[in-house]
């Protein structure tokens, strides 16, 4: 059988909740040996959102399957000795503690690379360098600060978070890209490096095209729609800022979520009885 891409790569997983575990899980799926380091009481998500008593929650298992787990008290001298040895034997270290937490354990980047010059040390934080660097974040905070909540929902409604976990798992994917690039570069240099990923930056990257749409639509509807191909229907989102059109109202055709019927009314939420049952020209209308 062909070896998996990351076979032989050991990952020391000091992550919890979702953004970090989603990254290390991807590395495990690619063949890495992921050793998850948990506090003596176990990862907090083992007990969160349980649907069955006295078992690990689905929230924990769906993000941490295909890993090995150990518990370790890093506040004790013996715990610090074991952590030092784990770092020495690992290719990658991933953590998503609050800002400065690992440094306060006594494991700064300077010390970590002294222990193991080849290690790739990846950190996931809420924010990058700047005024918010010491702030924590979670999914909705990342979506709000990254701009995606301004691109979701009705034009005349409040900001809305998307159900897709772009702040947590989206950041985890970005972290994996950085880790893989660092491992590849290590093949040429023989040295590990630091990888820093901010949740705010990841969200901004994922919604940057929609923010571009908002900037463009602020100058008026797109001249490309309607046209000879679409008539009085345009592709959904073709003229929209957030949930509805800029400057014109829109009605989503039932059964055809990819189509939007343009109508002469201010942008905003339409009442249910005003919605179109079928595309224009198909025997019905608004």
């Amino acid at each position: 059988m062909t070896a998996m891409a990351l076979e032989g790569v050991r990952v020391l997983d000091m992550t919890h909740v979702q953004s970090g575990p989603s990254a290390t899980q991807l590395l495990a799926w690619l063949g890495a040996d992921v050793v998850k380091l948990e506090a003596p009481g176990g990862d907090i998500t083992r007990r969160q959102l349980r649907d069955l008593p006295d078992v690990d929650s689905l929230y924990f298992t769906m993000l941490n399957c295909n890993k090995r787990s150990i518990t370790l008290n890093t506040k004790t001298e013996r715990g610090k000795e074991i952590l030092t040895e784990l770092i020495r034997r690992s290719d990658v270290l991933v953590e998503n503690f609050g800002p400065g937490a690992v440094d306060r354990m006594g494991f700064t980047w300077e010390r970590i690379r002294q222990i193991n010059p080849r290690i790739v040390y990846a950190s996931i934080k809420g924010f990058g360098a700047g005024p918010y660097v010491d702030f924590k974040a979670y999914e909705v905070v990342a979506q709000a600060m990254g701009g995606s909540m301004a691109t979701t929902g009705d034009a005349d409604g409040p900001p809305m978070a998307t159900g897709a976990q772009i702040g947590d798992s989206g950041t985890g994917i970005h972290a994996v890209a950085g880790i893989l690039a660092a491992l590849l570069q290590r093949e040429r240099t023989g040295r590990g490096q630091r990888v820093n990923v901010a949740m705010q930056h990841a969200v901004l990257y994922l919604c940057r095209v929609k923010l571009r749409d908002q900037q463009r639509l602020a100058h008026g509807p797109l001249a490309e729609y309607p046209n000879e191909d679409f008539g009085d229907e345009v592709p959904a989102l073709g003229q929209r800022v957030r949930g509805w059109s800029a400057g014109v109202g829109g009605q989503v055709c039932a059964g055809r979520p990819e189509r939007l019927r343009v109508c002469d009314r201010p942008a905003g939420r339409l009442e249910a009885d005003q919605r179109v049952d079928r595309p224009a020209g198909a025997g019905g209308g608004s």
Side-chain angles (χ1 to χ4, degrees):
M1 187 175 67
T2 303
M4 299 184 71
L6 295 184
E7 187 171 318
V9 173
R10 173 170 289 177
V11 177
L12 180 57
D13 181 0
M14 296 179 67
T15 70
H16 56 285
V17 192
Q18 184 182 163
S19 62
S22 66
T24 52
Q25 184 177 59
L26 281 171
L27 296 173
W29 284 341
L30 293 172
D33 175 20
V34 178
V35 179
K36 183 174 175 64
L37 190 64
E38 302 183 40
D43 189 304
I44 189 173
T45 58
R46 286 183 182 271
R47 303 180 296 279
Q48 286 183 336
L49 308 176
R50 280 178 172 162
D51 56 337
L52 296 173
D54 303 321
V55 296
D56 291 335
S57 70
L58 178 59
Y59 186 35
F60 175 84
T61 55
M62 70 166 48
L63 290 163
N64 293 286
C65 59
N66 210 27
K67 304 176 185 179
R68 298 188 290 159
S69 288
I70 62 171
T71 59
L72 185 65
N73 186 352
T74 57
K75 296 181 179 179
T76 67
E77 287 305 312
R78 180 56 179 158
K80 293 180 188 298
E81 291 174 4
I82 294 173
L83 179 55
T84 299
E85 187 59 28
L86 288 169
I87 292 171
R88 183 174 289 115
R89 297 184 183 190
S90 298
D91 297 284
V92 178
L93 167 61
V94 188
E95 63 89 14
N96 67 329
F97 288 106
V102 179
D103 289 358
R104 292 191 293 273
M105 293 180 193
F107 291 88
T108 63
W109 169 229
E110 288 71 22
R111 184 180 177 198
I112 289 172
R113 65 180 176 179
Q114 184 179 38
I115 296 168
N116 182 354
R118 289 178 54 83
I119 199 165
V120 172
Y121 176 21
S123 292
I124 295 173
K125 297 291 178 274
F127 304 93
Y132 304 111
V133 67
D134 293 325
F135 284 65
K136 297 179 181 179
Y138 63 102
E139 177 65 42
V140 178
V141 172
Q143 288 197 32
M145 296 299 288
S148 71
M149 287 179 67
T151 70
T152 308
D154 293 339
D156 57 353
M160 184 180 296
T162 177
Q165 302 292 284
I166 62 175
D168 278 321
S169 289
T171 304
I173 293 170
H174 284 78
V176 169
I179 291 166
L180 295 179
L183 287 172
L184 179 61
Q185 190 171 40
R186 190 180 72 173
E187 294 300 305
R188 297 193 294 269
T189 66
R191 298 188 304 274
Q193 61 182 285
R194 196 81 163 84
V195 175
N196 292 295
V197 183
M199 297 172 72
Q200 182 188 34
H201 296 169
V203 170
L204 180 59
Y205 179 84
L206 292 171
C207 71
R208 69 196 191 284
V209 173
K210 187 58 183 175
L211 293 172
R212 182 282 317 268
D213 292 345
Q214 290 184 335
Q215 182 272 333
R216 168 58 188 84
L217 289 170
H219 297 277
L222 301 179
E224 290 85 351
Y225 304 111
N227 57 38
E228 63 276 8
D229 294 323
F230 291 102
D232 61 355
E233 294 176 0
V234 302
L237 301 182
Q239 297 279 27
R240 294 199 221 176
V241 175
R242 293 177 62 189
W244 293 103
S245 307
V248 294
Q251 297 171 303
V252 177
C253 302
R256 298 290 297 279
E258 77 284 3
R259 301 280 179 157
L260 182 74
R261 182 178 175 84
V262 176
C263 58
D264 295 326
R265 57 167 290 157
R269 186 188 302 272
L270 300 178
E271 298 302 325
D273 60 0
Q274 295 175 299
R275 300 200 177 177
V276 178
D277 293 328
R278 57 188 64 83
S286 57

